[in-house]
Amino acid sequence: MARTVIMGAGIAGHTAALHLRRMLGREHEVVVVSPNSQWNWIPSNIWVGVGQMSVKQVTFPLAPVYRRTGIEFHQAFATELHGAGGATSEQPYVSVRYTDPARQGEVAELAYDYLINATGPKLNFGATPGLGPNGYTWSVCTAGHATEAAKGFDAVVQKLKAGEHQTLLIGMGHGTCTCQGAAFEYTFNIEHELVKEGVRDKADVIYITNEEHLGDFGMDGMNFGYKGGITTSEDFTSSLFRERGVTAIMSAHVESVEPGVVHYEQVDGSKGEQPFDFAMLLPPFRGADLTAFDRDGLDITAQVFAPSGFMKVDADYEAKPYEEWKASDWPRTYQSVQYDNVWAAGIAFAPPHQMSRPRTSPNGTVIAPAPPRTGMPSGVIGRAVAQTIAGRIKHGSSARVHTASMADMGAACIASAGKGWRTGQAAAMTVFPIIPDKAKYGEAGRDTKQTYGEIGLSAHWMKVMLHYLFIYKAKARPLWHLIPE
Amino acid sequence: MSNIRTFSDARLPTDNEVRARRNLLVQFWRFAVLNTKMIVMVTRGHH
């Protein structure tokens, strides 16, 4: 009998848990620890944030799914990792603190034979004074945040209808943010709703970003195969901004937010401020702040985790300049550098470096988009790690190690630009590989036949289809495993 | 306002492109093409 504990029930953790449960007999235990009682299809939060979907449409309770599939569920935070056991036993364990209302605040130790760290990101609103729902800006990072953002947006629409001018500021709340795609989507959904409400002419919509160019998306931009030729994601994206009359503040690090005004620094060292009536700014991410201990109780967090709080895995973490970055720097197995029975899946692994060229202002401020790890690679990594563990449990240490390098993997991103069966728009983008590989694909870094962008109503239908498909899959409905990640 | 970029030199879609983005027949076809592209992408990414 083997016991696998999975910390986190987001896309990577939940995918890994369901696949492990499917691949292993009932004599083996699969245990999920997550502070959230609900599963959230995060890509649709942007529609919650403009009042076009409810929280109920993008979430469902995890406990019934886990009960039905035979997965043990603990609604709790993982706080400590004891990978070599403790004073009385060599059995490794994680310490958890319950968020389950029935056991609120209780602490427990969960022993494991195999561990998957899929804790995802901590939303680090504290990195920028005044940022976030406890400050002066909205967020769409969680379904709850998005609901509040929708209320704020509705209030703005009412003021616009009353004839007031309003400035809406959307984008990145720090120089090291990632998830530019989500901010891009929210910007254009806001713009779309303003047009629908007949108040677009009274509003300024401004995008603020740490990207050097539009279309960078934290991926160093892309060269798209387009109508038989090549175009850049910058041209593709700039065209949409011009068409919709959205302006932007580029290469910006938001230093602080005060009521109605954002203070920022740009990469040339200049400082600026932007007044706003409504701001949705994403926070930077960091790891889940787990502490690791050896058997004697010594703190070995720095050996197990990067300073960012993400777990160090089989990547090349040697610091080197942008020109020397290679696709092979990125991890393949996601196995911990410290323990051979621990893996980090999805956002929880520490990337070796950014994908976009990092820049520093003359004042020493780092303005460097962090690399995105979207749903598709998170799911693929979660499944690969589950396959490796299932193989290890069934066949021993000689079992095949499954790999899922982002340098060998493509990703599809559907960026909504407005919801509506006949009036909706979205930008569909595919990219292969996710990590640019100039040695293999030349200066473009990617396969320009597989890297592609298109705007249209059909891409909106795709996003709606993926919404229902992935929620069906996450609910482990019949034949769920046939739906790819 | 000088820090705010307007992208006034970006290419605007032609009228035909704008119409095609909303034309149901064209978009049903593009939906099929997009699905095929995604399936190829997913197949290449799953080992």
Side-chain angles (χ1 to χ4, degrees):
Chain A
M1 195 275 279
R3 179 178 169 90
T4 305
V5 171
I6 299 153
M7 302 187 292
I11 291 176
H14 188 65
T15 302
L18 292 181
H19 278 297
L20 264 176
R21 186 67 286 166
R22 179 178 67 84
M23 290 185 280
L24 294 173
R26 291 298 166 122
E27 70 274 22
H28 302 293
E29 290 178 285
V30 179
V31 180
V32 170
V33 180
S34 169
N36 303 314
S37 63
Q38 306 281 313
W39 192 84
N40 177 202
W41 177 240
I42 292 170
S44 294
N45 283 357
I46 49 116
W47 287 334
V48 178
V50 290
Q52 290 297 308
M53 270 196 178
S54 66
V55 170
K56 221 172 171 182
Q57 287 174 285
V58 299
T59 59
F60 64 81
L62 284 164
V65 175
Y66 288 150
R67 220 171 12 246
R68 174 162 47 84
T69 50
I71 294 170
E72 187 179 317
F73 178 50
H74 296 259
Q75 193 190 328
F77 273 111
T79 55
E80 293 176 5
L81 169 59
H82 297 261
T88 56
S89 165
E90 287 183 9
Q91 175 72 49
Y93 67 92
V94 286
S95 301
V96 303
R97 192 175 64 248
Y98 284 89
T99 55
D100 183 338
R103 303 180 68 179
Q104 183 80 38
E106 252 181 67
V107 175
E109 292 174 359
L110 298 179
Y112 65 84
D113 299 302
Y114 300 94
L115 179 71
I116 301 175
N117 173 13
T119 42
K122 177 180 172 184
L123 305 175
N124 191 15
F125 289 109
T128 303
L131 184 70
N134 293 327
Y136 310 108
T137 63
W138 305 105
S139 155
V140 291
C141 293
T142 69
H145 287 176
T147 306
E148 295 306 309
K151 290 177 191 165
F153 176 58
D154 185 55
V156 164
V157 170
Q158 298 314 315
K159 286 180 186 170
L160 287 163
K161 284 183 174 173
E164 285 184 48
H165 178 273
Q166 297 279 283
T167 299
L168 297 95
L169 183 68
I170 299 152
M172 304 287 117
H174 192 272
T176 60
C177 282
T178 184
C179 272
Q180 287 81 6
F184 170 93
E185 286 190 85
Y186 194 62
T187 302
F188 287 101
N189 272 273
I190 285 279
E191 197 275 339
H192 181 79
E193 293 302 316
L194 293 174
V195 172
K196 268 170 56 181
E197 297 287 348
V199 291
R200 177 67 181 92
D201 58 324
K202 296 184 184 71
D204 284 330
V205 181
I206 304 171
Y207 180 68
I208 185 165
T209 182
N210 53 355
E211 299 157 282
E212 185 174 13
H213 304 292
L214 285 183
D216 181 281
F217 293 125
M219 301 176 71
D220 218 12
M222 291 161 272
N223 287 302
F224 288 144
Y226 184 73
K227 293 188 172 177
I230 302 286
T231 189
T232 64
S233 53
E234 182 183 5
D235 290 342
F236 179 81
T237 311
S238 302
S239 175
L240 188 62
F241 271 68
R242 183 180 174 198
E243 184 190 351
R244 300 283 196 92
V246 177
T247 56
I249 301 168
M250 306 298 301
S251 297
H253 161 69
V254 172
E255 291 182 317
S256 64
V257 188
E258 290 175 5
V261 64
V262 152
H263 300 275
Y264 62 87
E265 178 184 347
Q266 287 182 292
V267 75
D268 62 3
S270 63
K271 307 255 182 173
E273 54 182 49
Q274 177 58 52
F276 66 83
D277 299 293
F278 172 97
M280 195 298 290
L281 300 179
L282 297 178
F285 292 167
R286 59 171 288 113
D289 287 339
L290 280 163
T291 313
F293 295 94
D294 70 5
R295 211 176 155 201
D296 298 324
L298 282 175
D299 187 329
I300 56 166
T301 305
Q303 291 170 45
V304 181
F305 296 96
S308 58
F310 296 117
M311 184 174 264
K312 290 194 270 190
V313 294
D314 61 319
D316 181 353
Y317 292 110
E318 186 191 339
K320 46 191 158 185
Y322 172 82
E323 290 74 18
E324 292 175 25
W325 290 353
K326 296 193 299 287
S328 57
D329 296 340
W330 287 74
R332 296 174 59 77
T333 68
Y334 303 91
Q335 192 170 33
S336 160
V337 293
Q338 189 73 15
Y339 305 108
D340 88 333
N341 61 343
V342 177
W343 289 261
I347 293 175
F349 79 84
H353 43 65
Q354 295 92 344
M355 292 185 224
S356 301
R357 184 189 290 270
R359 289 156 303 123
T360 306
S361 80
N363 306 317
T365 304
V366 175
I367 299 177
R373 281 157 288 171
T374 55
M376 189 169 165
S378 293
V380 173
I381 294 167
R383 190 176 80 153
V385 168
Q387 287 171 316
T388 298
I389 293 173
R392 188 89 78 86
I393 291 170
K394 288 193 222 172
H395 308 296
S397 56
S398 60
R400 179 185 161 199
V401 175
H402 290 259
T403 61
S405 170
M406 285 166 63
D408 294 328
M409 188 196 304
C413 175
I414 312 287
S416 171
K419 195 167 181 292
W421 283 107
R422 291 292 303 275
T423 59
Q425 291 266 299
M429 291 174 269
T430 60
V431 55
F432 191 94
I434 299 169
I435 308 297
D437 188 345
K438 292 186 179 175
K440 200 167 178 181
Y441 297 104
E443 206 40 46
R446 295 190 177 94
D447 181 340
T448 51
K449 286 186 183 145
Q450 295 288 327
T451 303
Y452 172 81
E454 175 173 337
I455 295 171
L457 178 59
S458 57
H460 168 70
W461 295 339
M462 280 287 291
K463 186 160 173 99
V464 174
M465 183 185 79
L466 294 178
H467 168 93
Y468 290 107
L469 202 63
F470 282 115
I471 288 178
Y472 180 91
K473 180 185 166 91
K475 285 181 174 175
R477 297 289 188 205
L479 304 177
W480 66 267
H481 59 281
L482 298 179
I483 300 169
E485 278 70 40
Chain B
M1 292 290 284
S2 60
N3 290 336
I4 297 181
R5 292 187 54 190
T6 58
F7 309 101
S8 54
D9 53 351
R11 176 187 170 276
L12 280 172
T14 63
D15 290 345
N16 279 345
E17 284 173 324
V18 171
R19 269 195 296 275
R21 286 177 184 175
R22 299 207 180 280
N23 181 285
L24 286 181
L25 282 178
V26 172
Q27 291 303 312
F28 279 129
W29 166 244
R30 297 313 302 169
F31 184 71
V33 170
L34 276 174
N35 268 289
T36 307
K37 281 181 178 286
M38 298 282 176
I39 289 165
V40 169
M41 179 68 61
V42 166
T43 308
R44 280 186 79 177
H46 283 60
H47 299 286

mmCIF file of all heavy atoms in Angstrom, chain A residues 424-460:
data_model
loop_
_atom_site.group_PDB
_atom_site.id
_atom_site.type_symbol
_atom_site.label_atom_id
_atom_site.label_comp_id
_atom_site.label_asym_id
_atom_site.label_seq_id
_atom_site.Cartn_x
_atom_site.Cartn_y
_atom_site.Cartn_z
ATOM 1 N N GLY A 424 -19.591 38.059 -29.525
ATOM 2 C CA GLY A 424 -18.347 37.803 -28.801
ATOM 3 C C GLY A 424 -17.137 37.816 -29.727
ATOM 4 O O GLY A 424 -17.258 37.658 -30.944
ATOM 5 N N GLN A 425 -15.991 38.043 -29.117
ATOM 6 C CA GLN A 425 -14.724 38.007 -29.863
ATOM 7 C C GLN A 425 -13.675 37.411 -28.943
ATOM 8 O O GLN A 425 -13.744 37.572 -27.717
ATOM 9 C CB GLN A 425 -14.264 39.414 -30.231
ATOM 10 C CG GLN A 425 -15.092 40.119 -31.254
ATOM 11 C CD GLN A 425 -14.558 39.936 -32.665
ATOM 12 O OE1 GLN A 425 -13.447 40.331 -32.975
ATOM 13 N NE2 GLN A 425 -15.360 39.344 -33.511
ATOM 14 N N ALA A 426 -12.707 36.741 -29.522
ATOM 15 C CA ALA A 426 -11.565 36.288 -28.730
ATOM 16 C C ALA A 426 -10.373 36.131 -29.653
ATOM 17 O O ALA A 426 -10.527 35.996 -30.868
ATOM 18 C CB ALA A 426 -11.873 34.962 -28.034
ATOM 19 N N ALA A 427 -9.197 36.211 -29.052
ATOM 20 C CA ALA A 427 -7.966 35.944 -29.799
ATOM 21 C C ALA A 427 -7.539 34.532 -29.450
ATOM 22 O O ALA A 427 -7.320 34.222 -28.280
ATOM 23 C CB ALA A 427 -6.890 36.943 -29.396
ATOM 24 N N ALA A 428 -7.484 33.674 -30.458
ATOM 25 C CA ALA A 428 -7.007 32.306 -30.239
ATOM 26 C C ALA A 428 -5.531 32.278 -30.608
ATOM 27 O O ALA A 428 -5.147 32.718 -31.692
ATOM 28 C CB ALA A 428 -7.782 31.334 -31.111
ATOM 29 N N MET A 429 -4.728 31.817 -29.688
ATOM 30 C CA MET A 429 -3.289 31.748 -29.947
ATOM 31 C C MET A 429 -2.780 30.363 -29.595
ATOM 32 O O MET A 429 -3.147 29.810 -28.554
ATOM 33 C CB MET A 429 -2.546 32.793 -29.105
ATOM 34 C CG MET A 429 -2.824 34.219 -29.537
ATOM 35 S SD MET A 429 -2.099 35.437 -28.445
ATOM 36 C CE MET A 429 -3.425 35.699 -27.284
ATOM 37 N N THR A 430 -1.998 29.793 -30.482
ATOM 38 C CA THR A 430 -1.299 28.558 -30.141
ATOM 39 C C THR A 430 0.188 28.859 -30.215
ATOM 40 O O THR A 430 0.618 29.685 -31.022
ATOM 41 C CB THR A 430 -1.639 27.412 -31.103
ATOM 42 O OG1 THR A 430 -1.260 27.785 -32.432
ATOM 43 C CG2 THR A 430 -3.119 27.072 -31.077
ATOM 44 N N VAL A 431 0.935 28.210 -29.365
ATOM 45 C CA VAL A 431 2.378 28.454 -29.337
ATOM 46 C C VAL A 431 3.093 27.121 -29.156
ATOM 47 O O VAL A 431 2.684 26.290 -28.341
ATOM 48 C CB VAL A 431 2.742 29.472 -28.226
ATOM 49 C CG1 VAL A 431 2.237 29.040 -26.877
ATOM 50 C CG2 VAL A 431 4.227 29.721 -28.165
ATOM 51 N N PHE A 432 4.126 26.902 -29.988
ATOM 52 C CA PHE A 432 4.914 25.674 -29.865
ATOM 53 C C PHE A 432 6.372 25.965 -30.194
ATOM 54 O O PHE A 432 6.660 26.447 -31.267
ATOM 55 C CB PHE A 432 4.387 24.592 -30.817
ATOM 56 C CG PHE A 432 4.998 23.258 -30.525
ATOM 57 C CD1 PHE A 432 4.355 22.358 -29.694
ATOM 58 C CD2 PHE A 432 6.239 22.917 -31.042
ATOM 59 C CE1 PHE A 432 4.949 21.129 -29.396
ATOM 60 C CE2 PHE A 432 6.828 21.702 -30.732
ATOM 61 C CZ PHE A 432 6.180 20.802 -29.918
ATOM 62 N N PRO A 433 7.281 25.638 -29.290
ATOM 63 C CA PRO A 433 7.029 25.215 -27.910
ATOM 64 C C PRO A 433 6.793 26.440 -27.017
ATOM 65 O O PRO A 433 6.990 27.557 -27.460
ATOM 66 C CB PRO A 433 8.323 24.499 -27.534
ATOM 67 C CG PRO A 433 9.370 25.196 -28.343
ATOM 68 C CD PRO A 433 8.726 25.646 -29.614
ATOM 69 N N ILE A 434 6.412 26.179 -25.763
ATOM 70 C CA ILE A 434 6.171 27.295 -24.844
ATOM 71 C C ILE A 434 7.492 28.034 -24.580
ATOM 72 O O ILE A 434 7.544 29.258 -24.634
ATOM 73 C CB ILE A 434 5.557 26.788 -23.515
ATOM 74 C CG1 ILE A 434 4.216 26.105 -23.779
ATOM 75 C CG2 ILE A 434 5.397 27.939 -22.525
ATOM 76 C CD1 ILE A 434 3.670 25.343 -22.585
ATOM 77 N N ILE A 435 8.541 27.267 -24.307
ATOM 78 C CA ILE A 435 9.849 27.872 -24.057
ATOM 79 C C ILE A 435 10.548 28.075 -25.396
ATOM 80 O O ILE A 435 10.719 27.103 -26.151
ATOM 81 C CB ILE A 435 10.727 26.943 -23.172
ATOM 82 C CG1 ILE A 435 9.974 26.527 -21.901
ATOM 83 C CG2 ILE A 435 12.066 27.612 -22.855
ATOM 84 C CD1 ILE A 435 9.616 27.635 -20.976
ATOM 85 N N PRO A 436 10.955 29.295 -25.712
ATOM 86 C CA PRO A 436 11.636 29.502 -26.997
ATOM 87 C C PRO A 436 12.904 28.649 -27.079
ATOM 88 O O PRO A 436 13.625 28.511 -26.085
ATOM 89 C CB PRO A 436 11.982 30.992 -26.982
ATOM 90 C CG PRO A 436 11.244 31.595 -25.852
ATOM 91 C CD PRO A 436 10.888 30.513 -24.905
ATOM 92 N N ASP A 437 13.131 28.069 -28.243
ATOM 93 C CA ASP A 437 14.310 27.219 -28.454
ATOM 94 C C ASP A 437 14.994 27.694 -29.735
ATOM 95 O O ASP A 437 14.688 27.218 -30.831
ATOM 96 C CB ASP A 437 13.876 25.751 -28.557
ATOM 97 C CG ASP A 437 15.064 24.807 -28.569
ATOM 98 O OD1 ASP A 437 16.201 25.287 -28.792
ATOM 99 O OD2 ASP A 437 14.868 23.593 -28.370
ATOM 100 N N LYS A 438 15.923 28.633 -29.572
ATOM 101 C CA LYS A 438 16.573 29.228 -30.745
ATOM 102 C C LYS A 438 17.517 28.238 -31.419
ATOM 103 O O LYS A 438 17.770 28.339 -32.617
ATOM 104 C CB LYS A 438 17.306 30.511 -30.343
ATOM 105 C CG LYS A 438 16.324 31.616 -29.947
ATOM 106 C CD LYS A 438 16.959 32.940 -29.674
ATOM 107 C CE LYS A 438 15.864 33.948 -29.310
ATOM 108 N NZ LYS A 438 16.333 35.245 -28.914
ATOM 109 N N ALA A 439 18.038 27.281 -30.652
ATOM 110 C CA ALA A 439 18.928 26.278 -31.252
ATOM 111 C C ALA A 439 18.151 25.421 -32.249
ATOM 112 O O ALA A 439 18.676 25.005 -33.284
ATOM 113 C CB ALA A 439 19.528 25.409 -30.155
ATOM 114 N N LYS A 440 16.887 25.181 -31.965
ATOM 115 C CA LYS A 440 16.080 24.286 -32.800
ATOM 116 C C LYS A 440 15.286 25.046 -33.860
ATOM 117 O O LYS A 440 15.116 24.567 -34.976
ATOM 118 C CB LYS A 440 15.118 23.526 -31.880
ATOM 119 C CG LYS A 440 14.563 22.262 -32.464
ATOM 120 C CD LYS A 440 13.898 21.470 -31.341
ATOM 121 C CE LYS A 440 13.258 20.207 -31.837
ATOM 122 N NZ LYS A 440 12.621 19.482 -30.734
ATOM 123 N N TYR A 441 14.792 26.228 -33.511
ATOM 124 C CA TYR A 441 13.865 26.933 -34.411
ATOM 125 C C TYR A 441 14.402 28.265 -34.930
ATOM 126 O O TYR A 441 13.651 29.057 -35.487
ATOM 127 C CB TYR A 441 12.528 27.170 -33.686
ATOM 128 C CG TYR A 441 11.820 25.889 -33.314
ATOM 129 C CD1 TYR A 441 11.815 25.435 -32.011
ATOM 130 C CD2 TYR A 441 11.172 25.123 -34.289
ATOM 131 C CE1 TYR A 441 11.177 24.244 -31.672
ATOM 132 C CE2 TYR A 441 10.533 23.940 -33.961
ATOM 133 C CZ TYR A 441 10.536 23.509 -32.648
ATOM 134 O OH TYR A 441 9.902 22.337 -32.320
ATOM 135 N N GLY A 442 15.691 28.520 -34.720
ATOM 136 C CA GLY A 442 16.266 29.764 -35.216
ATOM 137 C C GLY A 442 15.857 30.956 -34.370
ATOM 138 O O GLY A 442 15.370 30.794 -33.247
ATOM 139 N N GLU A 443 16.034 32.152 -34.922
ATOM 140 C CA GLU A 443 15.834 33.381 -34.159
ATOM 141 C C GLU A 443 14.396 33.507 -33.630
ATOM 142 O O GLU A 443 14.158 34.074 -32.573
ATOM 143 C CB GLU A 443 16.188 34.580 -35.043
ATOM 144 C CG GLU A 443 16.624 35.835 -34.313
ATOM 145 C CD GLU A 443 17.529 35.627 -33.092
ATOM 146 O OE1 GLU A 443 18.501 34.845 -33.139
ATOM 147 O OE2 GLU A 443 17.240 36.258 -32.071
ATOM 148 N N ALA A 444 13.415 32.973 -34.395
ATOM 149 C CA ALA A 444 12.015 33.046 -33.959
ATOM 150 C C ALA A 444 11.815 32.261 -32.653
ATOM 151 O O ALA A 444 10.945 32.595 -31.850
ATOM 152 C CB ALA A 444 11.083 32.495 -35.034
ATOM 153 N N GLY A 445 12.617 31.238 -32.450
ATOM 154 C CA GLY A 445 12.551 30.463 -31.210
ATOM 155 C C GLY A 445 11.414 29.455 -31.150
ATOM 156 O O GLY A 445 11.352 28.635 -30.250
ATOM 157 N N ARG A 446 10.502 29.557 -32.126
ATOM 158 C CA ARG A 446 9.348 28.649 -32.089
ATOM 159 C C ARG A 446 8.965 28.223 -33.500
ATOM 160 O O ARG A 446 9.334 28.873 -34.482
ATOM 161 C CB ARG A 446 8.157 29.334 -31.410
ATOM 162 C CG ARG A 446 8.391 29.652 -29.943
ATOM 163 C CD ARG A 446 7.122 30.109 -29.257
ATOM 164 N NE ARG A 446 7.331 30.338 -27.836
ATOM 165 C CZ ARG A 446 7.637 31.524 -27.297
ATOM 166 N NH1 ARG A 446 7.755 32.591 -28.067
ATOM 167 N NH2 ARG A 446 7.808 31.642 -26.005
ATOM 168 N N ASP A 447 8.205 27.157 -33.600
ATOM 169 C CA ASP A 447 7.705 26.641 -34.876
ATOM 170 C C ASP A 447 6.615 27.604 -35.373
ATOM 171 O O ASP A 447 5.539 27.689 -34.772
ATOM 172 C CB ASP A 447 7.140 25.234 -34.625
ATOM 173 C CG ASP A 447 6.608 24.589 -35.892
ATOM 174 O OD1 ASP A 447 6.329 25.317 -36.862
ATOM 175 O OD2 ASP A 447 6.460 23.359 -35.897
ATOM 176 N N THR A 448 6.899 28.325 -36.440
ATOM 177 C CA THR A 448 5.947 29.354 -36.883
ATOM 178 C C THR A 448 4.725 28.759 -37.588
ATOM 179 O O THR A 448 3.770 29.478 -37.878
ATOM 180 C CB THR A 448 6.620 30.387 -37.808
ATOM 181 O OG1 THR A 448 7.306 29.690 -38.841
ATOM 182 C CG2 THR A 448 7.586 31.259 -37.037
ATOM 183 N N LYS A 449 4.760 27.444 -37.877
ATOM 184 C CA LYS A 449 3.533 26.822 -38.412
ATOM 185 C C LYS A 449 2.582 26.491 -37.261
ATOM 186 O O LYS A 449 1.369 26.543 -37.418
ATOM 187 C CB LYS A 449 3.892 25.540 -39.171
ATOM 188 C CG LYS A 449 4.534 25.832 -40.527
ATOM 189 C CD LYS A 449 4.748 24.564 -41.318
ATOM 190 C CE LYS A 449 5.449 24.902 -42.623
ATOM 191 N NZ LYS A 449 6.369 23.848 -43.033
ATOM 192 N N GLN A 450 3.153 26.139 -36.127
ATOM 193 C CA GLN A 450 2.322 25.760 -34.971
ATOM 194 C C GLN A 450 2.002 26.970 -34.085
ATOM 195 O O GLN A 450 1.114 26.892 -33.242
ATOM 196 C CB GLN A 450 3.060 24.712 -34.124
ATOM 197 C CG GLN A 450 3.284 23.393 -34.822
ATOM 198 C CD GLN A 450 2.007 22.605 -34.967
ATOM 199 O OE1 GLN A 450 1.140 22.688 -34.115
ATOM 200 N NE2 GLN A 450 1.879 21.880 -36.057
ATOM 201 N N THR A 451 2.770 28.041 -34.238
ATOM 202 C CA THR A 451 2.536 29.242 -33.426
ATOM 203 C C THR A 451 1.686 30.195 -34.261
ATOM 204 O O THR A 451 2.095 30.626 -35.335
ATOM 205 C CB THR A 451 3.881 29.876 -33.016
ATOM 206 O OG1 THR A 451 4.633 28.883 -32.315
ATOM 207 C CG2 THR A 451 3.672 31.079 -32.130
ATOM 208 N N TYR A 452 0.505 30.475 -33.749
ATOM 209 C CA TYR A 452 -0.529 31.005 -34.627
ATOM 210 C C TYR A 452 -1.485 31.891 -33.837
ATOM 211 O O TYR A 452 -1.724 31.664 -32.654
ATOM 212 C CB TYR A 452 -1.270 29.785 -35.198
ATOM 213 C CG TYR A 452 -2.498 30.091 -35.986
ATOM 214 C CD1 TYR A 452 -2.401 30.477 -37.309
ATOM 215 C CD2 TYR A 452 -3.759 29.990 -35.402
ATOM 216 C CE1 TYR A 452 -3.550 30.762 -38.041
ATOM 217 C CE2 TYR A 452 -4.905 30.272 -36.118
ATOM 218 C CZ TYR A 452 -4.789 30.662 -37.447
ATOM 219 O OH TYR A 452 -5.907 30.950 -38.161
ATOM 220 N N GLY A 453 -2.000 32.919 -34.469
ATOM 221 C CA GLY A 453 -2.978 33.765 -33.791
ATOM 222 C C GLY A 453 -4.111 34.149 -34.717
ATOM 223 O O GLY A 453 -3.905 34.330 -35.927
ATOM 224 N N GLU A 454 -5.304 34.237 -34.168
ATOM 225 C CA GLU A 454 -6.477 34.581 -34.974
ATOM 226 C C GLU A 454 -7.521 35.219 -34.062
ATOM 227 O O GLU A 454 -7.716 34.788 -32.933
ATOM 228 C CB GLU A 454 -7.035 33.287 -35.592
ATOM 229 C CG GLU A 454 -8.326 33.476 -36.349
ATOM 230 C CD GLU A 454 -8.750 32.212 -37.092
ATOM 231 O OE1 GLU A 454 -7.890 31.361 -37.382
ATOM 232 O OE2 GLU A 454 -9.952 32.087 -37.366
ATOM 233 N N ILE A 455 -8.184 36.246 -34.570
ATOM 234 C CA ILE A 455 -9.238 36.908 -33.781
ATOM 235 C C ILE A 455 -10.580 36.646 -34.449
ATOM 236 O O ILE A 455 -10.688 36.729 -35.681
ATOM 237 C CB ILE A 455 -8.988 38.431 -33.702
ATOM 238 C CG1 ILE A 455 -7.696 38.716 -32.934
ATOM 239 C CG2 ILE A 455 -10.162 39.149 -33.030
ATOM 240 C CD1 ILE A 455 -7.243 40.155 -32.979
ATOM 241 N N GLY A 456 -11.591 36.322 -33.660
ATOM 242 C CA GLY A 456 -12.910 36.133 -34.255
ATOM 243 C C GLY A 456 -13.922 35.561 -33.281
ATOM 244 O O GLY A 456 -13.601 35.226 -32.137
ATOM 245 N N LEU A 457 -15.133 35.435 -33.790
ATOM 246 C CA LEU A 457 -16.234 34.872 -32.997
ATOM 247 C C LEU A 457 -15.976 33.398 -32.679
ATOM 248 O O LEU A 457 -16.308 32.917 -31.585
ATOM 249 C CB LEU A 457 -17.538 35.042 -33.794
ATOM 250 C CG LEU A 457 -18.826 34.495 -33.199
ATOM 251 C CD1 LEU A 457 -19.122 35.123 -31.846
ATOM 252 C CD2 LEU A 457 -19.995 34.742 -34.163
ATOM 253 N N SER A 458 -15.374 32.679 -33.630
ATOM 254 C CA SER A 458 -15.135 31.243 -33.417
ATOM 255 C C SER A 458 -14.224 31.016 -32.213
ATOM 256 O O SER A 458 -14.372 30.027 -31.495
ATOM 257 C CB SER A 458 -14.527 30.612 -34.669
ATOM 258 O OG SER A 458 -13.332 31.269 -35.011
ATOM 259 N N ALA A 459 -13.276 31.925 -31.988
ATOM 260 C CA ALA A 459 -12.382 31.766 -30.838
ATOM 261 C C ALA A 459 -13.175 31.942 -29.532
ATOM 262 O O ALA A 459 -12.904 31.279 -28.533
ATOM 263 C CB ALA A 459 -11.250 32.786 -30.919
ATOM 264 N N HIS A 460 -14.183 32.820 -29.577
ATOM 265 C CA HIS A 460 -15.051 32.962 -28.397
ATOM 266 C C HIS A 460 -15.819 31.660 -28.149
ATOM 267 O O HIS A 460 -15.925 31.195 -27.009
ATOM 268 C CB HIS A 460 -16.020 34.126 -28.581
ATOM 269 C CG HIS A 460 -17.108 34.150 -27.554
ATOM 270 N ND1 HIS A 460 -16.856 34.460 -26.237
ATOM 271 C CD2 HIS A 460 -18.433 33.851 -27.631
ATOM 272 C CE1 HIS A 460 -17.984 34.363 -25.543
ATOM 273 N NE2 HIS A 460 -18.946 33.999 -26.365
#
